Amino acid sequence: MRWETVEDYDAMSRRAAAIFLDAVRNTPSVALGLPTGGTPLGMYRRIVAECSTTHHCFRDATTFNLDEYVGLAPSDPRSYCAYMRENLFAHVDLDPSRMHIPDGLATRIRERNPGIPLEHALDLECAAYEESIARAGGLDLTFLGLGRNGHIAFNEPGSPFESRTRVVTLTRETRDANACYFPEGEVPSHAITMGVGTILSSRSIVLLASGSSKREAVERLRSAEVTEEFPASALHLHSDTIVICDEQSVA
Ligand code: PGA
């Protein structure tokens, strides 16, 4: 695990965007794992800004988002699908047929299998997501945020390191951390997430951490203790992970 500590959120976002854009430039058919949440917003802003000034072609790239809430339609403004449209997809020339986000309603599977219980349809959705990643040749480069409790994607403490895409129950802590995005209701209790094992299969990984609210988690990650109780610690087992953190997140 390589560590880069940069001055602030802007510097972290610039560095992450540079890695993203280099990957697309060097390998136009790159398969990217993409995060949502507050942390990567600056990275996406930077990518979009660079695309409007310098020509970057995303046409042959494939993207797989890390996670999505169960129960939200892709059109729901609180869905990660809407987040991606707003912050990246609407601004770059990615091919819509190569953008993948788990469907938290498993709509296509339920249409094909009338009467199937939602729970079963969601399991099939997760299996299909893993198959799509495999068909794309696996993930080349995956970006991650860091949860205060050490989660990566929606893999909460206790997630098996060999886990693959599946439905998970969100902790109270994670739901509280994301409550600001749900001013008119409760944060969903379940989500579909790539597993820790799915993430570890990515050839390269970049984890981003910013701000004083992440200090404890960053410190724990630095301690190099590897435990399923702190999912991000699985990244110590990966041979090509960069952690980019800003000074505010380092105690
Ligand atoms: P945040 O979330 O970027 O909104 O802080 C990080 C995460 O939970 O992965």
Side-chain angles (χ1 to χ4, degrees):
M1 178 179 286
R2 281 178 293 145
W3 286 77
E4 295 184 15
T5 305
V6 296
E7 191 180 347
D8 55 17
Y9 180 74
D10 263 3
M12 182 202 72
S13 303
R14 268 201 310 278
R15 176 73 181 118
I19 293 173
F20 187 114
L21 291 169
D22 275 351
V24 175
R25 200 176 297 121
N26 294 336
T27 311
S29 62
V30 68
L32 297 159
L34 297 183
T36 48
T39 309
L41 281 172
M43 171 181 82
Y44 291 134
R45 262 198 300 273
R46 185 89 200 171
I47 291 165
V48 169
E50 286 233 3
C51 286
S52 55
T53 52
T54 319
H55 179 70
H56 286 286
C57 178
F58 291 79
R59 222 176 20 232
D60 296 326
T62 301
T63 64
F64 290 92
N65 268 79
L66 300 174
D67 43 24
E68 179 60 283
Y69 291 109
V70 165
L72 298 191
S75 58
D76 189 308
R78 300 162 305 175
S79 69
Y80 286 153
C81 200
Y83 171 108
M84 290 308 297
R85 264 198 311 276
E86 191 179 319
N87 294 299
L88 185 69
F89 294 162
H91 312 286
V92 297
D93 64 349
L94 272 163
D95 177 344
S97 71
R98 293 181 199 269
M99 305 165 176
H100 302 85
I101 302 183
D103 179 354
L105 285 173
T107 302
R108 246 181 307 167
I109 288 171
R110 286 194 299 139
E111 278 169 6
R112 261 187 260 133
N113 302 276
I116 188 175
L118 177 62
E119 210 178 304
H120 187 199
L122 290 170
D123 287 343
L124 293 179
E125 171 73 19
C126 295
Y129 205 66
E130 283 285 330
E131 277 166 28
S132 305
I133 294 173
R135 257 201 315 278
L139 296 167
D140 293 307
L141 172 63
T142 297
F143 291 85
L144 302 171
L146 176 64
R148 289 178 222 173
N149 62 3
H151 72 214
I152 46 174
F154 271 139
N155 293 285
E156 300 282 33
S159 296
F161 283 175
E162 68 277 10
S163 53
R164 309 300 298 198
T165 303
R166 67 204 189 290
V167 174
V168 292
T169 305
L170 301 178
T171 60
R172 190 68 257 171
E173 189 179 4
T174 295
R175 294 173 74 194
D176 288 346
N178 291 351
C180 54
Y181 303 110
F182 290 81
E184 281 137 31
E186 271 257 84
V187 178
S189 55
H190 291 79
I192 293 178
T193 184
M194 279 187 199
V196 178
T198 319
I199 292 167
L200 289 178
S201 300
S202 178
R203 288 170 195 98
S204 302
I205 296 174
V206 175
L207 180 134
L208 307 175
S210 167
S212 55
S213 68
K214 301 294 169 72
R215 265 186 207 161
E216 239 175 83
V218 167
E219 197 176 321
R220 191 154 176 202
L221 184 59
R222 266 191 200 281
S223 80
E225 182 204 2
V226 176
T227 165
E228 289 181 351
E229 285 315 307
F230 190 73
S233 70
L235 301 175
H236 287 294
L237 307 174
H238 190 267
S239 58
D240 184 10
T241 290
I242 306 178
V243 178
I244 308 173
C245 51
D246 66 10
E247 286 173 4
Q248 294 72 30
S249 70
V250 181

